[in-house]
Amino acid sequence: MDVVVCLRRVPFTQEVDLEIDKGQRQILAENLAFVLNDWDNYALEEAISLKERTKGTVTAITVGTEEDEEVLRRALAMGADTAIRIDSEGLTLDPRNIARLLARVIRGLRFHLILTGAQSDDLNEGCVGAMLAEELGLPHASVVNKIELGEDVLEIKVELEGGIEEISTIKLPCLLTIQTGINEPRYVSVMGIRKAAKKELKVVTIEELSLDKEALVPDVYVERLFYPPETGGAEILEGDPHIVAEKILRILRERGVIS
Amino acid sequence: MKGTILTIAEHRQNSLREVTFELLALAHELGKAQGLESVCLLLEGEEQSLEGELKGWCERVLVLKAKGLEVFNQEIWQAVILKVMGDRRPFMVLFSHTPWGMDLAPSLSVSSGYPLATDCVSVVIRDGTPLATRQIYGGKLFAEVSLRPSGTYLISLRPGSMRVENPFGLVTQIESLMGIEIPQKTKKVFKEFVDTGAGEIDISQAPFLISIGRGIGEREKLEEIKELAERMGALISCSRPIVDKNWLPKYHQVGTSGKTVKPKVYMALGISGAFQHVAGIKGSPTVIAVNKDKKAPIFRVAQYGVVEDLFKIVGALKETLGG
Amino acid sequence: MLELWTPKYLFWPILLIALFAFLRSILSRIQVLRMAQKDPRLDHLKERFRSLLLDGIMQWRQPRYPFSGILHLVIFWGFVVLSLRSLQLLSYGLGISILSPFETGAFWDLYGLLKDVFEILVLFTCLLSMARRLLFNPPRYKGSHEAEAYLVLGLISFLMITDILFEASYCLLAEKNELSISQAMAIPFLKFSRTSLEVIYNLSFVLHILAFLFFLNLLPLSKHFHIITALPNVFFRKLKTGSIKPVRYNVQDIEDLEYSGTKYIYDLTWKHILDIYTCTECGRCSDNCPANLVGRELSPKMLTLKLRESIYKTYPVTVQKKERPNPIIPGEVIGEGEIWSCTTCGACERECPVFIEYIDKIVDMRRYLIEQGQGPSSFNQVFINVEKTGNPFGKPPAKRADWAKEAGEIPVRILKKGDQVETLLFVDSYPSFDPKANEVTLSVVRGLHKMGEDFGILGPLERDSGHQVRRMGEEGLFELLREKNRNLLSEIRFKRIVTIDPHSFNTLKNDYGLQIPIYHYSQYLYLALENGRLKPKRVIREGTYTYHDPCYLGRHNGIYGEPRELLKGILDAPLREMSKSRDRSLCCGGADVGLWYEVREEERMASKRVKMALEIGADHIVTACPFCMIHLEDAVKTMGLEERLMVVDLMGLIDSCL
């Protein structure tokens, strides 16, 4: 089975105090570390393991700058056969345009299945996958957490809210957006990535896709970023751990959950 | 003709999802301010009659009853909604940002050509166009976004964003849709629903939950928490990463993809408070959050917060409880 | 000597056959050594010869186990002395006289006496050894080839007996009248007829030679190969403890390798194969291995034996050259449980009488697993965190020096590129971010401040030293960290580095190759105490103390004295040694794999250690490593001993006296 997997590099923001830049539309990214979007990592692992099971190929694609190639090298190290970067050429692209660019490239590829992450850690839009599927006229399903192979068809599980899962079948070729936890992504060692640096990585420009930069008008435009309003929030219990523990126990007793 | 806000009703296993009422609440709020009609589109099976539940919540319900509409299918929904949008040209269409909504809204945006803002937590209309607020970077920042000028705007709303209590007392007209062709053959075919929530314990009924998140760091540390929970008579629940790592079975998970809980006290240890998680604890009157990161979003929903290493607090709690 | 009945030409073919067989075996063993990887071991020749003399010939490590050690020394020295005798007998049988120039005079008389003494001693020792194995078989022999041990002890005894009989019958037949032990041995045969004596004389000779040649051929097939390989193994020993071998020696571009680490037996270096040949199966490694002691899957001895069995099976002496063997990992010969159980504490290597190396082998197997993505999944996030944020917790680098806010009045200088400072305090990740370890960091800072030291930290620019990830098998990541830290260090001017964590100390000292003095705080503060820059204001009078040696301070870097001297400087209370201390200190659980991976075990290492402290009545365990402190404190808590035992960091204790 030939799988195309779409990847995105996102800032690693765990415990980071994010700062908004002067233009108010972006965060200050200078001092941030970047990683492969968590959901995409699961999608990538799923693609690689499908390739291993079916003796197919994996093509990894990202839209971005040269720095974003890091995620493609990770994919190559993990076992992807081909990697393509669509050069974003300094544009801030919204999901609709990302889907557009991806579709242009993927149309020319041989594939049975496209995988994307269900959403991204940073902007959380959760829509590139379904948009891409529609661009390509493919059936699709979002938030998939299990894939089983059949004849020209997949049996998939979609995670719904409230602990309910939906099982359905979907005809190939199709696009699935992957939920975390679907597998256990393997580790890609630094040495593995260094080795993968020698593999070929294709770069495609927007021009080569016969698209006009001017025509890539965003559907969604960020007007401004702001810090979450300081709502009443929690009453902070202060003091050393023992004093805090006393306070917590008092609350628990008041609420009648401990005696 | 009066402009409309079209809400796409979401239902499952013969009942409307709560998020539908949230969407209607938003539609009502915006409609009132802008003089728009709140219209709900309900696609349901032949035997179903969910429209009754919508009475008082909107001004009009468009009902399409047909075989095959019992369960959501993006291909069918998309075809029907495209038709309805074409006929009625609504000012705005509201979707839920649920797995189904995530399946539907983006592809509709592509096929209709209307702009879409997903996962919004609030929407206002300024100068005739919507301005939506989204939470980004795990809730660390908010973004205000506008949409490309268009005749119709698509918005998907994050579940849990609107407070829903009682119907608005609107006079609701029920209108049946006729002459809409329903695709018979779809590429995706529904098989069944499975309840993954069933397990050895039922956290949804527990009066006291000690819930753990990524902050516990290592699997071994789970024992310390279990010990504390046992001594306090609490059940253990957790956030998604813990289940993803297989540290606890799925039936411990709280949140949109896990269980909705309503304990008297919910003690969140090392949980940052992603919205998917927080949505599952809205029913809890008392949330105590312990987290090292003073900016963790969990502190915004908690009544009590402790900014400290959770194990220091766990240790102190155990010591205070004594032998 | 008297004429033998047996014709000379009989011995020649026997000898040639025996030598041929022996050489064939040896060549087959050498073939594996040649297939193995390069490993330069000819540096520091002076040190090597010194070690060969002390550890190889004098066998200084043997008496660490007094009883068996002395038994071994006797047998070893017997072999040294009796080898000349064997040569003499062999040449005698062959009818050549290569030794005849020496076989006269006082030297030879003395040698005759020595030979007799040793034959009796060796015989007695062999019998004692067999009795000991029979009656009080120590658990460390579990899994060793016991039958072979008896066979060899029996064989040696047989050699002694046949030679004694030979010599005794000779004395009577030749009517020698010197006072010698051989003559005393001849007493039982005084009444024997000349014919009987001649039978004894000839038979014992033939049997002795046959046994000797049999034994010779047994060597390369058994654990007694060490008789041949032990001395070279000691000579080529690893001199720099604490370091880890590179992925490959003499390979410039390791990216060109198909894979890194050890997958097949020939991925080991020749020295590591020699190690495997040399193992005497004494089990001292496993007897001291903390992983083995707490019931983890690992026994260093068995690791060697399994590898040996695999080599002997894959490359038998009877068949030449088999190409692609089966991999040894994962799970083929060595299981993942074994590979991840090791804490790299070094107790096995410190104990091994023949200097077998374990850490490098295990780490190299880990490298293979990690590169193949077969490591424990719990490592994934840790590695990504280290790569992306420079610390295993994934904390933002900007917060790396946040602990310094707690230092109060004390200015903690955060160095920038181009800055100059006397002492650079390399804090490392745990002491930067872990709340418990932060306390140690703060007390070190207070100590330095009180000494009036001009010091600074690297703050957000510092990255994890990489000690952990290197030992977890993520070599590429280690190289990345080392490169970044080295580049950073090269842009700051300083005279020395002081570290808080013995692991950072070790890796900066042994893995980084820096040309600048590196101290653990205990060393540096000891110097300050000596020259009066550090003046404790009070001494501690209450309590009973014991010092727990951190592996990477003690065993790997030989720092035992300084922490104890520092303690003595502030204690007016008893300082006792635990049953295992100094270079036999028991690892607390370690600072690498164990932190992120749950290894199956019956008991925590730290709780075993805590019991040792209780045994000697200590109520304070002092240590000089944040990880030891965390593990031990944890054990004290889980054992419910908070009232009886306190775990304190050396620096915390000193700080309280300043």
Side-chain angles (χ1 to χ4, degrees):
Chain A
M1 176 178 277
D2 300 324
V3 188
V4 173
V5 59
C6 305
L7 307 176
R8 177 180 173 88
R9 183 167 166 267
V10 297
F12 186 81
T13 58
Q14 184 187 322
E15 290 190 48
V16 174
D17 301 328
L18 289 174
E19 287 175 69
I20 299 170
D21 88 348
K22 282 201 204 92
Q24 297 226 317
R25 294 216 181 85
Q26 283 172 339
I27 56 164
L28 279 177
E30 286 156 37
N31 295 321
L32 293 178
F34 284 81
V35 291
L36 173 60
N37 176 36
D38 205 22
W39 281 266
D40 299 354
N41 195 26
Y42 286 92
L44 176 57
E45 170 65 41
E46 198 62 21
I48 303 288
S49 73
L50 281 170
K51 163 195 159 155
E52 287 168 350
R53 267 183 281 163
T54 61
K55 308 222 180 319
T57 63
V58 170
T59 304
I61 306 186
T62 193
V63 180
T65 62
E66 208 174 318
E67 289 185 324
D68 292 313
E69 287 179 4
E70 177 194 342
V71 297
L72 294 180
R73 279 193 291 271
R74 182 168 287 271
L76 289 170
M78 215 156 163
D81 305 273
T82 324
I84 304 170
R85 173 171 69 87
I86 304 170
D87 196 350
S88 58
E89 294 166 40
L91 297 175
T92 306
L93 296 163
D94 74 334
R96 182 72 180 80
N97 282 323
I98 290 174
R100 229 175 233 146
L101 293 173
L102 288 171
R104 287 284 168 117
V105 171
I106 294 173
R107 232 172 249 143
L109 301 174
R110 217 184 88 92
F111 68 90
H112 304 100
L113 177 65
I114 302 173
L115 299 180
T116 71
Q119 62 190 70
S120 69
D121 269 325
D122 51 354
L123 303 182
N124 214 48
E125 282 147 327
C127 57
V128 170
M131 284 178 168
L132 172 62
E134 188 64 27
E135 286 272 357
L136 296 168
L138 295 176
H140 56 94
S142 300
V143 206
V144 172
N145 68 358
K146 193 172 184 184
I147 301 176
E148 272 176 46
L149 293 169
E151 284 278 318
D152 341 304
V153 78
L154 300 176
E155 183 171 297
I156 54 167
K157 226 191 234 180
V158 166
E159 186 179 280
L160 303 176
E161 329 86 86
I164 300 286
E165 292 178 319
E166 172 195 356
I167 297 177
S168 37
T169 58
I170 187 164
K171 274 220 175 89
L172 289 169
C174 66
L175 182 146
L176 306 175
T177 81
I178 300 298
Q179 174 64 305
T180 55
I182 185 172
N183 50 40
E184 230 175 301
R186 69 196 74 184
Y187 179 64
V188 183
S189 70
V190 173
M191 194 65 73
I193 294 174
R194 268 162 63 181
K195 285 180 183 173
K198 297 185 176 171
K199 290 195 193 173
E200 196 204 339
L201 197 153
K202 256 184 264 175
V203 181
V204 183
T205 61
I206 294 176
E207 201 175 42
E208 284 167 328
L209 298 175
S210 4
L211 275 168
D212 186 1
K213 264 198 202 181
E214 307 301 313
L216 294 174
V217 181
D219 273 7
V220 182
Y221 183 78
V222 176
E223 296 286 340
R224 66 179 181 111
L225 299 186
F226 57 100
Y227 297 105
E230 294 282 339
T231 51
E235 174 193 327
I236 299 295
L237 307 177
E238 313 255 8
D240 83 69
H242 285 94
I243 294 174
V244 170
E246 289 288 355
K247 289 181 182 170
I248 291 177
L249 292 174
R250 199 174 321 133
I251 296 166
L252 296 179
R253 279 191 203 102
E254 278 169 18
R255 301 293 186 278
V257 293
I258 60 169
S259 52
Chain B
M1 199 171 80
K2 201 178 172 187
T4 55
I5 297 181
L6 185 67
T7 293
I8 312 299
E10 188 171 316
H11 59 88
R12 190 167 81 202
Q13 289 161 306
N14 209 26
S15 85
L16 285 165
R17 303 292 301 159
E18 166 140 323
V19 66
T20 304
F21 300 101
E22 290 188 41
L23 295 174
L24 291 169
L26 177 63
H28 179 62
E29 191 184 292
L30 293 174
K32 236 181 5 190
Q34 304 290 324
L36 300 166
E37 187 188 20
S38 169
V39 179
C40 184
L41 174 63
L42 173 67
L43 313 187
E44 61 182 357
E46 278 176 324
E47 309 292 316
Q48 288 180 303
S49 51
L50 295 166
E51 56 274 23
E53 286 182 49
L54 293 165
K55 276 196 183 136
W57 288 92
C58 55
E59 284 153 303
R60 187 183 301 271
V61 181
L62 304 178
V63 188
L64 179 65
K65 275 186 209 277
K67 199 161 165 271
L69 295 183
E70 295 83 0
V71 181
F72 170 80
N73 180 297
Q74 170 261 332
E75 294 161 68
I76 300 173
W77 254 242
Q78 184 164 329
V80 173
I81 297 167
L82 263 179
K83 177 85 172 67
V84 173
M85 285 201 307
D87 293 348
R88 312 213 167 216
R89 310 217 164 264
F91 169 72
M92 190 187 278
V93 186
L94 295 179
F95 303 86
S96 54
H97 191 71
T98 57
W100 286 349
M102 289 166 83
D103 229 8
L104 179 62
S107 52
L108 244 169
S109 165
V110 171
S111 57
S112 67
Y114 299 137
L116 162 72
T118 56
D119 193 30
C120 304
V121 293
S122 70
V123 182
V124 293
I125 293 168
R126 197 173 296 161
D127 303 331
T129 58
L131 265 184
T133 303
R134 309 185 61 253
Q135 291 188 7
I136 56 175
Y137 297 102
K140 286 187 179 198
L141 291 179
F142 282 31
E144 195 171 66
V145 301
S146 61
L147 293 164
R148 171 173 58 79
S150 162
T152 298
Y153 298 99
L154 312 183
I155 298 282
S156 78
L157 185 77
R158 171 181 292 190
S161 302
M162 300 293 291
R163 195 176 290 277
V164 174
E165 277 150 8
N166 299 310
F168 315 120
L170 298 170
V171 180
T172 307
Q173 289 186 21
I174 309 276
E175 184 184 331
S176 291
L177 290 175
M178 299 294 180
I180 293 183
E181 197 131 328
I182 291 162
Q184 288 307 307
K185 269 205 144 0
T186 57
K187 289 185 171 159
K188 188 176 152 217
V189 180
F190 170 81
K191 273 179 84 176
E192 59 175 329
F193 289 121
V194 191
D195 187 355
T196 59
E200 287 161 28
I201 58 158
D202 186 5
I203 55 168
S204 65
Q205 300 304 320
F208 179 22
L209 286 172
I210 294 184
S211 203
I212 51 170
R214 212 191 282 269
I216 79 158
E218 302 156 43
R219 185 182 199 144
E220 303 86 81
K221 299 279 193 182
L222 203 62
E223 287 309 311
E224 270 185 59
I225 311 283
K226 280 187 181 162
E227 218 178 284
L228 178 70
E230 203 169 299
R231 278 171 56 180
M232 289 185 144
L235 288 186
I236 294 212
S237 59
C238 66
S239 64
R240 175 165 196 112
I242 301 291
V243 173
D244 279 352
K245 289 180 186 172
N246 272 324
W247 291 0
L248 283 175
K250 178 91 182 167
Y251 54 81
H252 286 277
Q253 188 191 328
V254 172
T256 50
S257 55
K259 287 204 173 154
T260 301
V261 295
K262 43 183 189 315
K264 284 191 210 158
V265 177
Y266 186 80
M267 195 151 91
L269 306 178
I271 292 178
S272 66
F275 78 92
Q276 293 95 333
H277 183 79
V278 170
I281 58 173
K282 281 199 303 177
S284 178
T286 306
V287 173
I288 306 174
V290 182
N291 202 298
K292 264 192 272 193
D293 183 0
K294 62 178 185 299
K295 297 203 171 151
I298 189 81
F299 290 126
R300 272 181 249 144
V301 296
Q303 281 67 48
Y304 301 97
V306 181
V307 184
E308 181 59 278
D309 177 47
L310 75 96
F311 288 103
K312 281 193 182 166
I313 301 300
V314 168
L317 278 171
K318 279 198 218 163
E319 278 169 36
T320 314
L321 285 169
Chain C
M1 297 250 179
L2 299 169
E3 271 303 300
L4 289 164
W5 293 348
T6 39
K8 310 251 178 319
Y9 54 77
L10 191 71
F11 283 107
W12 279 102
I14 294 176
L15 176 76
L16 288 177
I17 290 166
L19 278 182
F20 176 77
F22 173 71
L23 281 178
R24 201 183 146 92
S25 303
I26 293 286
L27 284 175
S28 152
R29 298 293 184 240
I30 289 175
Q31 176 213 336
V32 184
L33 288 177
R34 291 169 58 115
M35 282 166 63
Q37 303 304 317
K38 293 204 166 68
D39 194 346
R41 298 270 181 165
L42 285 170
D43 54 335
H44 300 90
L45 283 176
K46 215 174 120 193
E47 220 176 312
R48 294 195 180 280
F49 279 110
R50 199 182 121 86
S51 181
L52 181 67
L53 181 73
L54 296 179
D55 302 301
I57 295 167
M58 313 278 285
Q59 307 205 336
W60 273 18
R61 283 190 174 184
Q62 278 294 348
R64 288 170 72 91
Y65 279 69
F67 189 61
S68 56
I70 288 164
L71 292 183
H72 188 272
L73 272 171
V74 172
I75 298 181
F76 170 75
W77 279 102
F79 268 72
V80 173
V81 170
L82 297 175
S83 57
L84 198 61
R85 170 67 172 172
S86 300
L87 212 57
Q88 187 198 14
L89 290 181
L90 203 59
S91 67
Y92 183 45
L94 295 170
I96 50 171
S97 43
I98 41 169
L99 289 178
S100 50
F102 310 102
E103 288 181 42
T104 51
F107 163 73
W108 200 250
D109 288 343
L110 184 68
Y111 179 73
L113 185 67
L114 209 59
K115 175 211 81 176
D116 289 344
V117 170
F118 267 101
E119 281 187 342
I120 305 231
L121 273 176
V122 168
L123 177 60
F124 176 72
T125 308
C126 284
L127 295 175
L128 199 61
S129 298
M130 281 193 273
R132 172 171 158 274
R133 279 183 180 263
L134 214 56
L135 300 175
F136 328 91
N137 206 13
R140 64 187 164 97
Y141 291 149
K142 197 169 155 256
S144 300
H145 295 87
E146 299 255 27
E148 194 193 300
Y150 285 113
L151 173 67
V152 169
L153 286 170
L155 205 54
I156 299 171
S157 308
F158 186 75
L159 284 170
M160 298 304 116
I161 290 166
T162 47
D163 195 30
I164 289 168
L165 286 177
F166 176 71
E167 186 77 356
S169 54
Y170 170 74
C171 285
L172 291 174
L173 287 169
E175 291 169 14
K176 281 177 73 174
N177 285 319
E178 308 132 42
L179 184 67
S180 82
I181 296 173
S182 313
Q183 278 179 318
M185 298 306 291
I187 293 169
F189 308 111
L190 277 174
K191 291 195 176 137
F192 278 41
S193 69
R194 193 165 176 89
T195 322
S196 315
L197 287 173
E198 276 175 3
V199 170
I200 293 172
Y201 179 74
N202 280 286
L203 201 61
S204 59
F205 181 81
V206 173
L207 287 175
H208 183 88
I209 294 293
L210 289 178
F212 175 80
L213 294 175
F214 174 70
F215 192 33
L216 185 72
N217 271 285
L218 186 64
L219 295 182
L221 307 178
S222 72
K223 71 176 182 124
H224 285 81
F225 203 11
H226 79 264
I227 292 172
I228 296 167
T229 58
L231 290 179
N233 210 54
V234 172
F235 181 77
F236 294 119
R237 64 180 277 207
K238 179 174 182 170
L239 292 172
K240 194 171 158 194
T241 51
S243 65
I244 298 286
K245 84 170 194 71
V247 170
R248 283 276 201 284
Y249 287 101
N250 304 358
V251 171
Q252 281 301 314
D253 227 349
I254 43 177
E255 283 120 71
D256 290 341
L257 296 172
E258 192 192 332
Y259 55 87
S260 2
T262 294
K263 177 187 185 184
Y264 295 103
I265 201 80
Y266 50 69
D267 292 327
L268 294 170
T269 76
W270 67 266
K271 172 59 175 59
H272 290 160
I273 304 275
L274 191 65
D275 277 350
I276 294 167
Y277 288 163
T278 307
C279 178
T280 68
E281 307 186 7
C282 72
R284 294 177 188 208
C285 49
S286 300
D287 204 29
N288 286 278
C289 169
N292 188 49
L293 290 178
V294 298
R296 290 191 183 181
E297 238 175 279
L298 175 68
S299 151
K301 179 185 76 177
M302 292 317 292
L303 184 108
T304 301
L305 294 195
K306 285 183 198 174
L307 290 173
R308 176 150 76 196
E309 194 183 343
S310 162
I311 297 177
Y312 286 6
K313 237 197 214 146
T314 320
Y315 306 101
V317 290
T318 45
V319 193
Q320 292 298 307
K321 248 197 177 118
K322 182 180 153 198
E323 266 321 312
R324 200 88 171 168
N326 293 329
I328 49 177
I329 56 161
E332 298 284 338
V333 177
I334 306 301
E336 288 177 44
E338 291 166 276
I339 293 170
W340 299 114
S341 284
C342 174
T343 65
T344 72
C345 78
C348 51
E349 297 187 357
R350 186 66 192 85
E351 206 63 44
C352 180
V354 291
F355 292 79
I356 292 173
E357 293 152 28
Y358 289 94
I359 298 173
D360 277 341
K361 290 189 194 110
I362 291 176
V363 167
D364 217 44
M365 292 182 206
R366 288 178 180 174
R367 283 173 178 160
Y368 175 75
L369 292 178
I370 293 297
E371 196 183 289
Q372 301 304 311
Q374 294 175 19
S377 54
S378 53
F379 289 2
N380 300 1
Q381 198 57 47
V382 178
F383 289 150
I384 289 173
N385 287 345
V386 173
E387 183 191 336
K388 297 296 176 184
T389 64
N391 68 80
F393 316 102
K395 300 272 184 183
K399 297 186 178 175
R400 201 169 174 101
D402 276 8
W403 58 267
K405 291 176 191 156
E406 310 278 315
E409 304 283 281
I410 302 170
V412 180
R413 193 172 149 207
I414 299 175
L415 300 167
K416 292 183 301 295
K417 289 177 182 176
D419 280 359
Q420 188 172 353
V421 75
E422 287 276 309
T423 295
L424 188 145
L425 182 64
F426 193 96
V427 185
D428 216 346
S429 299
Y430 259 79
S432 291
F433 290 112
D434 183 87
K436 278 275 19 135
N438 277 170
E439 292 169 20
V440 183
T441 313
L442 287 166
S443 47
V444 170
V445 163
R446 280 194 288 268
L448 290 174
H449 179 67
K450 290 226 169 96
M451 282 161 57
E453 187 77 9
D454 168 32
F455 72 97
I457 60 167
L458 296 169
L461 297 176
E462 182 189 279
R463 277 161 196 268
D464 193 278
S465 66
H467 175 97
Q468 252 184 22
V469 296
R470 183 169 217 198
R471 279 143 193 91
M472 286 159 88
E474 215 327 357
E475 184 71 9
L477 184 52
F478 167 73
E479 286 181 4
L480 197 77
L481 295 167
R482 179 172 61 183
E483 191 191 323
K484 296 216 160 142
N485 278 329
R486 277 205 294 220
N487 288 345
L488 175 62
L489 291 172
S490 71
E491 293 190 57
I492 291 167
R493 286 164 65 199
F494 54 93
K495 292 206 175 116
R496 64 190 73 85
I497 295 178
V498 171
T499 72
I500 293 158
D501 174 4
H503 301 89
S504 344
F505 166 69
N506 176 73
T507 215
L508 291 176
K509 180 167 168 255
N510 297 316
D511 291 333
Y512 268 51
L514 299 171
Q515 304 300 322
I516 201 126
I518 295 157
Y519 298 90
H520 180 253
Y521 79 74
S522 62
Q523 289 175 293
Y524 196 61
L525 265 75
Y526 168 69
L527 291 178
L529 187 75
E530 283 287 274
N531 63 25
R533 280 178 70 203
L534 186 74
K535 289 187 209 79
K537 286 207 181 89
R538 68 175 195 104
V539 289
I540 296 167
R541 293 207 162 77
E542 55 290 337
T544 304
Y545 290 76
T546 187
Y547 175 70
H548 163 79
D549 289 276
C551 308
Y552 274 92
L553 210 51
R555 232 169 351 241
H556 287 288
N557 290 296
I559 299 165
Y560 303 108
E562 292 91 329
R564 286 180 170 78
E565 290 306 316
L566 273 172
L567 267 178
K568 284 177 195 157
I570 52 163
L571 282 187
D572 186 17
L575 176 63
R576 295 182 186 158
E577 292 290 348
M578 286 182 271
S579 57
K580 278 176 168 285
S581 83
R582 304 181 72 95
D583 66 355
R584 269 197 178 153
S585 178
L586 183 86
C587 177
C588 65
D592 36 66
V593 172
L595 296 173
W596 317 105
Y597 179 61
E598 184 80 346
V599 183
R600 252 188 309 152
E601 59 188 6
E602 286 153 18
E603 189 184 1
R604 295 241 163 210
M605 291 176 191
S607 72
K608 230 183 174 59
R609 192 59 169 159
V610 165
K611 284 182 197 159
M612 291 179 187
L614 286 180
E615 273 169 23
I616 54 157
D619 48 28
H620 285 79
I621 305 180
V622 186
T623 183
C625 163
F627 293 95
C628 294
M629 190 174 71
I630 292 165
H631 283 302
L632 293 170
E633 196 160 72
D634 204 41
V636 166
K637 276 188 189 154
T638 31
M639 294 162 85
L641 294 169
E642 292 104 316
E643 306 288 310
R644 284 175 60 190
L645 198 56
M646 247 179 85
V647 182
V648 284
D649 186 84
L650 174 63
M651 193 62 227
L653 211 58
I654 295 171
D655 187 25
S656 71
C657 296
L658 292 177

